[in-house]
Amino acid sequence: MTIDSREKLIEIREEEQKKIESCDCRILVCSGTGCIATGSQKIYERFLEIAKDAPGVTIEFGPHDKDLHVGVKKTGCQGVCELGPLVRIQRGDRVVQYTKVQLTDCEEIFERTVLEGEVLEHLLYKKGGKAYEGPNDIPFIAKQTRIVLKNCGKFDAESLGEYIASGGYAALTKALFEMTPDQVVDCVDKSGIRGRGGGGFPAGKKWKQVARQPEKIRYVVCNGDEGDPGAFMDGSVMEGDPFRLIEGMMLAGYAVSAHDGYIYVRAEYPQSVARLRHAIAVLEEAGLLGDHILGTDFSFRLHINRGAGAFVCGEGSALTASIEGNRGMPRVKPPRTVEKGLWEKPTVLNNVETFANVPEIILNGWEWYRSIGTEGSPGTKTFSLTGSIENTGLIEVPMGTTLREIIFDIGGGLKDGAKFKAVQIGGPSGGCLTEKHLDVPLDFDSVKKYGAIVGSGGLVVMDEHTCMVEVARFFMSFTQRESCGKCVPCREGTKRMLEILEKIVAGNGEMKDIDELQELGNMIKSMALCGLGKSAPLPVLSTIREFRDEYEEHIRDKKCRAKVCQALRRFVINPEFCKGCGKCAKNCPVGAITGVRKECYHIDPNICIKCGSCKENCAFEAIYIEA
């Protein structure tokens, strides 16, 4: 289809809406990365086979003599990632959400739910003995406010027609035919939306700075290099609703008079790259990317660049250097990206989530967007919820929502009734929030007061069995390994901090090490070249501040209360349970266990290498780790 005018777009929208309405039943198979990893692609293909072969059923749109029109679609992430593969069955306004669907379930779902309208209770989400039929009945989804993720799980992620049917490109049409570029910039600025990539800089101010530059060649760049451990928000948007991201970038291009855009996607996101390439090809074929879009003077082209896996390329100047074919390393500022960005031209650089918000802001107005969230941080924020929590997955909530609401109301609390200990927010560039912070609103300004940052939105929930010293060591290991090495504070400072942390978890720490960690951390914060370097010490500094007693315990008592640090574990055999079978001794790789059969065996702590083989092989649970 070629869409070369506003009227043609409206015509296509009406046609595509009729296609969707003509379906007696839609089978919506989650095709997010998480569900694909658990087999959803094969489930999609199986449903397609069944529908094609079913008597009286057609999957084609248009006049037919069949009894039933069934649509089989691949959607973006449906949210409850831990319960995948996920399948939704939509019959009119009624939607049934099935979880943990297996290939062997497809025939039963098709015969009983698609054809007969019967609900299969054993495939529904269950909590506290209650089964939830529809996706919006599930507390995890019901308590969210979806703007960026509004289409994910509802429409075919690869279909331009379905995106248009959902209201896609209405915002671009409004901008091109009813607004000047300055009015678009002004609307984004007044909305107060702040960059969702971590820094929280107002997007509208950035766009204004680019729009007023004397240089007329300008670029729009999307940062899709989501590198935080445990974060998958941007990846889910790129693969689940790629047309929304592209529309947001096109609006930015129109607003600042840029004609070329670049999407920088991390190499570990092949599904995002594939969906974006497909979307760009379809849009070019339809005339919605290229010259004279919708018959106007606006022209815009998009290009995809794949990152090589360097965490530092999430920093703006390093990212643009990488697109140019140079080594991804940050540079001294000023000049900033808005003045001299890609190829030293003024550049709008925002992350995926920021651009994905823009169509809704233009369509509904800045006042509407301001009505959501907080005064200083309007709108919603997507978070990836992982760790020791009942419901892991992708969520979107208004800015200012508290940790308590996210963890206990949406996330369902901690697994196995464990006690909440802390949450790492903002990934390796963030910090730890504890029980006393559960009622702190999550927005850019509030979180910063407690030595953490919202970051891109990764939330790793930790329970009482987590060692906070090991958490700090893990994140410092990541940032030290990912340091580009350009500046001494980050290159050498993070290396020294990691050495100290490794020394502590190995049981060789000294009390002065804690002070040295704080001194080094504050030095790196104030002197590192880029934002990633400046935030690298935050996990260490925040864990020392909140859990200093654990550091001291590791050093003074040579104990890890969480029994995580291997060097500080001491394996002991309980004589009440030991049957003297000798299996532990047979499996000990260093001969640290001695004894006589049918009598209690003994572990020599001076020989034991703390590998845990004895505990794993004991059939009587007689071996435990001494606290």
Side-chain angles (χ1 to χ4, degrees), residues 197-200 228 381 383 423-433 442-459 531-532 534-536 538-539 542 545:
D228 291 0
K381 180 73 190 79
F383 291 99
V423 61
Q424 175 72 16
I425 181 171
S429 302
C432 280
L433 297 177
L442 289 189
D443 61 66
F444 292 109
D445 301 320
S446 298
V447 169
K448 196 175 288 186
K449 295 175 185 176
Y450 301 99
I453 60 173
V454 170
S456 59
L459 289 176
L532 296 179
K534 290 178 184 298
S535 58
L538 291 181
S542 63
R545 183 176 61 252

Short mmCIF file of all heavy atoms in Angstrom, two decimals, residues 197-200 228 381 383 423-433 442-459 531-532 534-536 538-539 542 545:
data_model
loop_
_atom_site.label_atom_id
_atom_site.label_comp_id
_atom_site.label_asym_id
_atom_site.label_seq_id
_atom_site.Cartn_x
_atom_site.Cartn_y
_atom_site.Cartn_z
N GLY A 197 16.41 7.85 29.63
CA GLY A 197 17.62 7.04 29.53
C GLY A 197 18.45 6.99 30.79
O GLY A 197 19.39 6.21 30.89
N GLY A 198 18.14 7.87 31.76
CA GLY A 198 18.89 7.84 33.01
C GLY A 198 19.20 9.20 33.58
O GLY A 198 19.08 9.43 34.78
N GLY A 199 19.58 10.13 32.73
CA GLY A 199 19.97 11.45 33.21
C GLY A 199 18.79 12.32 33.62
O GLY A 199 18.90 13.19 34.48
N GLY A 200 17.64 12.12 32.96
CA GLY A 200 16.45 12.89 33.30
C GLY A 200 16.49 14.33 32.83
O GLY A 200 15.79 15.19 33.38
N ASP A 228 22.22 -2.02 30.96
CA ASP A 228 22.17 -2.34 32.40
C ASP A 228 21.78 -3.80 32.62
O ASP A 228 20.81 -4.27 32.02
CB ASP A 228 21.12 -1.45 33.10
CG ASP A 228 21.54 0.00 33.15
OD1 ASP A 228 22.62 0.32 32.65
OD2 ASP A 228 20.76 0.81 33.69
N LYS A 381 6.73 5.82 33.73
CA LYS A 381 8.07 5.25 33.56
C LYS A 381 7.92 3.73 33.45
O LYS A 381 7.19 3.12 34.22
CB LYS A 381 8.96 5.59 34.76
CG LYS A 381 10.37 5.03 34.66
CD LYS A 381 11.19 5.78 33.65
CE LYS A 381 12.52 5.09 33.35
NZ LYS A 381 12.38 3.95 32.42
N PHE A 383 9.55 0.07 33.90
CA PHE A 383 10.56 -0.59 34.73
C PHE A 383 10.59 -2.08 34.39
O PHE A 383 9.55 -2.66 34.08
CB PHE A 383 10.23 -0.46 36.23
CG PHE A 383 10.35 0.93 36.78
CD1 PHE A 383 9.23 1.73 36.93
CD2 PHE A 383 11.59 1.44 37.15
CE1 PHE A 383 9.33 3.01 37.46
CE2 PHE A 383 11.70 2.72 37.69
CZ PHE A 383 10.58 3.51 37.83
N VAL A 423 16.44 -2.87 47.07
CA VAL A 423 16.26 -2.92 45.63
C VAL A 423 17.37 -2.10 44.99
O VAL A 423 17.68 -0.99 45.44
CB VAL A 423 14.86 -2.40 45.21
CG1 VAL A 423 14.65 -0.95 45.61
CG2 VAL A 423 14.67 -2.55 43.70
N GLN A 424 18.01 -2.67 43.99
CA GLN A 424 19.02 -1.95 43.22
C GLN A 424 18.29 -1.26 42.09
O GLN A 424 17.67 -1.91 41.24
CB GLN A 424 20.08 -2.91 42.67
CG GLN A 424 21.12 -2.26 41.76
CD GLN A 424 22.09 -1.37 42.51
OE1 GLN A 424 22.20 -1.45 43.73
NE2 GLN A 424 22.81 -0.53 41.79
N ILE A 425 18.34 0.05 42.05
CA ILE A 425 17.63 0.82 41.03
C ILE A 425 18.65 1.54 40.15
O ILE A 425 19.64 2.08 40.63
CB ILE A 425 16.66 1.84 41.68
CG1 ILE A 425 15.91 2.63 40.59
CG2 ILE A 425 17.35 2.75 42.66
CD1 ILE A 425 14.78 3.49 41.14
N GLY A 426 18.42 1.50 38.84
CA GLY A 426 19.32 2.21 37.93
C GLY A 426 20.51 1.39 37.48
O GLY A 426 21.45 1.93 36.89
N GLY A 427 20.52 0.09 37.78
CA GLY A 427 21.60 -0.77 37.30
C GLY A 427 22.94 -0.45 37.95
O GLY A 427 23.00 0.06 39.07
N PRO A 428 24.04 -0.72 37.24
CA PRO A 428 25.38 -0.50 37.81
C PRO A 428 25.69 0.98 38.01
O PRO A 428 26.66 1.31 38.68
CB PRO A 428 26.31 -1.12 36.76
CG PRO A 428 25.54 -1.09 35.49
CD PRO A 428 24.11 -1.29 35.88
N SER A 429 24.85 1.85 37.45
CA SER A 429 25.03 3.29 37.64
C SER A 429 24.13 3.82 38.74
O SER A 429 24.09 5.03 38.99
CB SER A 429 24.75 4.04 36.33
OG SER A 429 25.58 3.59 35.30
N GLY A 430 23.38 2.93 39.37
CA GLY A 430 22.41 3.36 40.37
C GLY A 430 22.86 3.08 41.78
O GLY A 430 24.05 3.02 42.09
N GLY A 431 21.89 2.88 42.64
CA GLY A 431 22.20 2.62 44.05
C GLY A 431 21.13 1.79 44.69
O GLY A 431 20.14 1.41 44.04
N CYS A 432 21.30 1.50 45.96
CA CYS A 432 20.36 0.65 46.70
C CYS A 432 19.38 1.49 47.51
O CYS A 432 19.77 2.46 48.17
CB CYS A 432 21.13 -0.28 47.64
SG CYS A 432 21.82 -1.71 46.81
N LEU A 433 18.12 1.10 47.46
CA LEU A 433 17.10 1.67 48.34
C LEU A 433 16.63 0.54 49.25
O LEU A 433 16.54 -0.62 48.83
CB LEU A 433 15.94 2.23 47.52
CG LEU A 433 16.28 3.39 46.58
CD1 LEU A 433 15.06 3.80 45.77
CD2 LEU A 433 16.83 4.59 47.35
N LEU A 442 9.04 7.27 43.40
CA LEU A 442 10.08 7.04 42.41
C LEU A 442 9.97 8.07 41.30
O LEU A 442 9.17 7.94 40.37
CB LEU A 442 9.97 5.62 41.82
CG LEU A 442 10.35 4.45 42.72
CD1 LEU A 442 10.39 3.16 41.93
CD2 LEU A 442 11.70 4.67 43.38
N ASP A 443 10.74 9.11 41.42
CA ASP A 443 10.88 10.10 40.36
C ASP A 443 12.31 10.59 40.37
O ASP A 443 13.08 10.29 41.28
CB ASP A 443 9.87 11.25 40.51
CG ASP A 443 10.06 12.02 41.81
OD1 ASP A 443 11.11 12.66 41.97
OD2 ASP A 443 9.16 11.99 42.68
N PHE A 444 12.68 11.33 39.34
CA PHE A 444 14.09 11.71 39.17
C PHE A 444 14.67 12.43 40.37
O PHE A 444 15.79 12.14 40.80
CB PHE A 444 14.24 12.59 37.92
CG PHE A 444 13.98 11.85 36.63
CD1 PHE A 444 12.84 12.10 35.88
CD2 PHE A 444 14.87 10.90 36.17
CE1 PHE A 444 12.59 11.43 34.70
CE2 PHE A 444 14.64 10.21 34.99
CZ PHE A 444 13.50 10.47 34.25
N ASP A 445 13.91 13.37 40.92
CA ASP A 445 14.45 14.22 41.99
C ASP A 445 14.44 13.53 43.35
O ASP A 445 15.39 13.64 44.13
CB ASP A 445 13.67 15.53 42.05
CG ASP A 445 13.74 16.29 40.73
OD1 ASP A 445 14.82 16.29 40.12
OD2 ASP A 445 12.71 16.84 40.30
N SER A 446 13.36 12.80 43.66
CA SER A 446 13.24 12.17 44.98
C SER A 446 14.30 11.10 45.18
O SER A 446 14.93 11.01 46.24
CB SER A 446 11.85 11.54 45.14
OG SER A 446 10.85 12.53 45.06
N VAL A 447 14.52 10.27 44.17
CA VAL A 447 15.47 9.16 44.29
C VAL A 447 16.89 9.68 44.45
O VAL A 447 17.71 9.12 45.18
CB VAL A 447 15.35 8.23 43.05
CG1 VAL A 447 16.49 7.23 43.01
CG2 VAL A 447 14.02 7.50 43.08
N LYS A 448 17.19 10.77 43.78
CA LYS A 448 18.55 11.33 43.82
C LYS A 448 18.93 11.75 45.24
O LYS A 448 20.10 11.71 45.62
CB LYS A 448 18.65 12.52 42.86
CG LYS A 448 20.07 12.94 42.53
CD LYS A 448 20.09 14.05 41.48
CE LYS A 448 19.71 13.53 40.13
NZ LYS A 448 19.86 14.56 39.07
N LYS A 449 17.96 12.14 46.04
CA LYS A 449 18.23 12.57 47.42
C LYS A 449 18.80 11.44 48.26
O LYS A 449 19.44 11.69 49.28
CB LYS A 449 16.93 13.07 48.08
CG LYS A 449 16.35 14.33 47.45
CD LYS A 449 15.02 14.66 48.11
CE LYS A 449 14.34 15.84 47.44
NZ LYS A 449 12.99 16.10 48.01
N TYR A 450 18.56 10.20 47.83
CA TYR A 450 19.00 9.05 48.62
C TYR A 450 20.18 8.32 47.98
O TYR A 450 20.41 7.15 48.23
CB TYR A 450 17.82 8.09 48.83
CG TYR A 450 16.66 8.77 49.54
CD1 TYR A 450 15.58 9.26 48.82
CD2 TYR A 450 16.69 8.97 50.92
CE1 TYR A 450 14.53 9.90 49.46
CE2 TYR A 450 15.64 9.61 51.56
CZ TYR A 450 14.57 10.08 50.83
OH TYR A 450 13.54 10.74 51.48
N GLY A 451 20.92 9.07 47.16
CA GLY A 451 22.14 8.52 46.59
C GLY A 451 21.93 7.49 45.50
O GLY A 451 22.79 6.63 45.27
N ALA A 452 20.78 7.54 44.82
CA ALA A 452 20.50 6.60 43.74
C ALA A 452 19.96 7.39 42.55
O ALA A 452 19.75 8.60 42.63
CB ALA A 452 19.50 5.54 44.18
N ILE A 453 19.76 6.72 41.43
CA ILE A 453 19.14 7.35 40.27
C ILE A 453 18.11 6.39 39.69
O ILE A 453 18.21 5.18 39.85
CB ILE A 453 20.18 7.71 39.18
CG1 ILE A 453 20.93 6.46 38.68
CG2 ILE A 453 21.15 8.77 39.67
CD1 ILE A 453 21.84 6.71 37.49
N VAL A 454 17.10 6.96 39.01
CA VAL A 454 16.10 6.13 38.34
C VAL A 454 16.76 5.34 37.22
O VAL A 454 16.44 4.19 36.97
CB VAL A 454 14.94 6.99 37.80
CG1 VAL A 454 14.04 6.16 36.89
CG2 VAL A 454 14.14 7.59 38.96
N GLY A 455 17.73 5.98 36.55
CA GLY A 455 18.43 5.32 35.46
C GLY A 455 17.48 4.97 34.34
O GLY A 455 16.46 5.64 34.13
N SER A 456 17.77 3.91 33.63
CA SER A 456 16.90 3.52 32.53
C SER A 456 15.66 2.79 33.03
O SER A 456 14.68 2.66 32.31
CB SER A 456 17.67 2.63 31.54
OG SER A 456 18.15 1.47 32.19
N GLY A 457 15.70 2.30 34.29
CA GLY A 457 14.50 1.71 34.86
C GLY A 457 14.62 0.27 35.29
O GLY A 457 13.59 -0.41 35.47
N GLY A 458 15.81 -0.22 35.52
CA GLY A 458 15.96 -1.59 36.02
C GLY A 458 15.74 -1.64 37.52
O GLY A 458 16.30 -0.84 38.26
N LEU A 459 14.91 -2.55 37.99
CA LEU A 459 14.67 -2.74 39.42
C LEU A 459 14.99 -4.19 39.77
O LEU A 459 14.30 -5.11 39.34
CB LEU A 459 13.21 -2.44 39.78
CG LEU A 459 12.73 -1.00 39.75
CD1 LEU A 459 11.24 -0.94 40.02
CD2 LEU A 459 13.49 -0.16 40.76
N GLY A 531 29.16 10.64 32.42
CA GLY A 531 28.14 10.30 33.41
C GLY A 531 28.22 8.87 33.89
O GLY A 531 27.92 8.58 35.06
N LEU A 532 28.64 7.96 33.02
CA LEU A 532 28.74 6.56 33.43
C LEU A 532 29.84 6.38 34.47
O LEU A 532 29.69 5.63 35.43
CB LEU A 532 28.98 5.67 32.22
CG LEU A 532 27.84 5.64 31.19
CD1 LEU A 532 28.21 4.74 30.02
CD2 LEU A 532 26.55 5.18 31.81
N LYS A 534 31.00 8.77 36.47
CA LYS A 534 30.61 9.48 37.70
C LYS A 534 29.64 8.67 38.55
O LYS A 534 29.62 8.79 39.78
CB LYS A 534 29.97 10.83 37.32
CG LYS A 534 30.94 11.85 36.75
CD LYS A 534 30.22 13.13 36.37
CE LYS A 534 31.14 14.14 35.69
NZ LYS A 534 32.24 14.60 36.55
N SER A 535 28.82 7.85 37.91
CA SER A 535 27.83 7.08 38.66
C SER A 535 28.32 5.67 39.02
O SER A 535 27.64 4.96 39.77
CB SER A 535 26.53 6.98 37.86
OG SER A 535 26.76 6.38 36.60
N ALA A 536 29.47 5.27 38.52
CA ALA A 536 29.99 3.91 38.77
C ALA A 536 30.11 3.56 40.25
O ALA A 536 29.84 2.42 40.64
CB ALA A 536 31.33 3.72 38.07
N LEU A 538 28.25 4.49 42.74
CA LEU A 538 27.01 4.60 43.52
C LEU A 538 26.57 3.30 44.20
O LEU A 538 26.15 3.32 45.37
CB LEU A 538 25.87 5.14 42.63
CG LEU A 538 26.00 6.60 42.19
CD1 LEU A 538 24.79 7.01 41.35
CD2 LEU A 538 26.13 7.53 43.39
N PRO A 539 26.63 2.14 43.53
CA PRO A 539 26.24 0.92 44.24
C PRO A 539 27.09 0.64 45.48
O PRO A 539 26.59 0.16 46.50
CB PRO A 539 26.44 -0.18 43.18
CG PRO A 539 26.31 0.52 41.88
CD PRO A 539 26.92 1.87 42.10
N SER A 542 26.29 3.48 48.23
CA SER A 542 24.96 3.32 48.83
C SER A 542 24.90 2.08 49.73
O SER A 542 24.25 2.10 50.78
CB SER A 542 23.87 3.25 47.75
OG SER A 542 24.04 2.12 46.94
N ARG A 545 26.66 2.93 52.97
CA ARG A 545 25.83 3.82 53.77
C ARG A 545 24.70 3.07 54.46
O ARG A 545 24.40 3.29 55.64
CB ARG A 545 25.26 4.94 52.88
CG ARG A 545 24.43 5.96 53.63
CD ARG A 545 23.95 7.10 52.74
NE ARG A 545 23.10 6.62 51.65
CZ ARG A 545 23.47 6.57 50.38
NH1 ARG A 545 24.69 6.98 50.02
NH2 ARG A 545 22.66 6.13 49.46
#
